[in-house]
Amino acid sequence: PDTHVMGNVQALSNLSQLTDLYLSDTAVSGTVEALAGLTQMKALYLPNTDVSGSVEALAGLTLMTLLSLSNTDISGSVEALASMTQLVHLDVSRTLLQGSLAPLRACTALVRLNVSHNCFSSGLDALLDVVALPALLEVDVSANCFERTRLPEFVPQEDPTPFLLDIRANTF
């Protein structure tokens, strides 16, 4: 981490007009609850920081288009992110999130989705619903807890757009 940038995200909680925050690979700490009031936020990029807390605290940030919380101690359910219907890029890989991916069906603008290295276990039906999102080009659900005896057939769209689907290290 860049140890030249350090401190607690609580120090940013009064910046009510803040729209973009990029703090990746820094020694920043604190909880995401401190950012809950920043309702103008469109891009929040916190990978590889010491930020923790519950993702539910971010549910009110409905203008969000880019959310990257990878490799943090953020916990909870992606259900809280369903209110972020304008999300284009979501990376919550290597966090403590779990549960069902089904709520992400509401995020119809998603182009890139990375939920790898967690313990999502919603079943393939919910996964297929997410994969069918119209704008989606890249999906990484590798190293989760999905189980099924065999993969279902993917039904091609009339005009299929090429996309990446990474489902390694599950127990299909």
Side-chain angles (χ1 to χ4, degrees):
D2 181 353
T3 56
H4 294 99
V5 178
M6 61 181 72
N8 192 302
V9 291
Q10 178 69 39
L12 305 172
S13 65
N14 291 328
L15 301 176
S16 61
Q17 297 305 308
L18 187 64
T19 60
D20 300 81
L21 180 59
Y22 294 85
L23 292 172
S24 64
D25 300 301
T26 62
V28 171
S29 62
T31 66
V32 289
E33 285 80 0
L35 305 175
L38 303 179
T39 57
Q40 299 303 306
M41 187 76 67
K42 294 182 181 179
L44 180 58
Y45 202 74
L46 298 174
N48 304 309
T49 61
D50 290 326
V51 175
S52 61
S54 174
V55 73
E56 283 81 2
L58 302 178
L61 306 183
T62 58
L63 300 178
M64 195 74 69
T65 59
L66 182 151
L67 180 61
S68 182
L69 304 172
S70 66
N71 205 24
T72 62
D73 286 336
I74 306 290
S75 61
S77 164
V78 293
E79 187 172 349
L81 306 180
S83 62
M84 298 179 185
T85 57
Q86 298 176 48
L87 268 178
V88 174
H89 177 99
L90 175 61
D91 185 350
V92 291
S93 61
R94 297 182 186 274
T95 61
L96 303 174
L97 298 179
Q98 58 186 357
S100 175
L101 292 177
L104 294 180
R105 291 182 287 217
C107 301
T108 57
L110 267 178
V111 174
R112 289 187 172 74
L113 172 65
N114 187 342
V115 295
S116 67
H117 298 87
N118 284 298
C119 198
F120 291 106
S121 59
S122 55
L124 282 177
D125 294 338
L127 175 59
L128 291 177
D129 285 346
V130 172
V131 169
L133 287 171
L136 209 52
L137 296 177
E138 186 177 315
V139 181
D140 187 345
V141 294
S142 62
N144 271 285
C145 302
F146 296 111
E147 293 183 21
R148 188 161 175 155
T149 55
R150 67 180 183 84
L151 280 173
E153 292 183 29
F154 290 94
V155 180
Q157 302 169 357
E158 287 181 25
D159 183 23
T161 303
F163 71 95
L164 169 74
L165 175 61
D166 187 345
I167 57 175
R168 295 174 290 158
N170 283 287
T171 54
F172 293 115

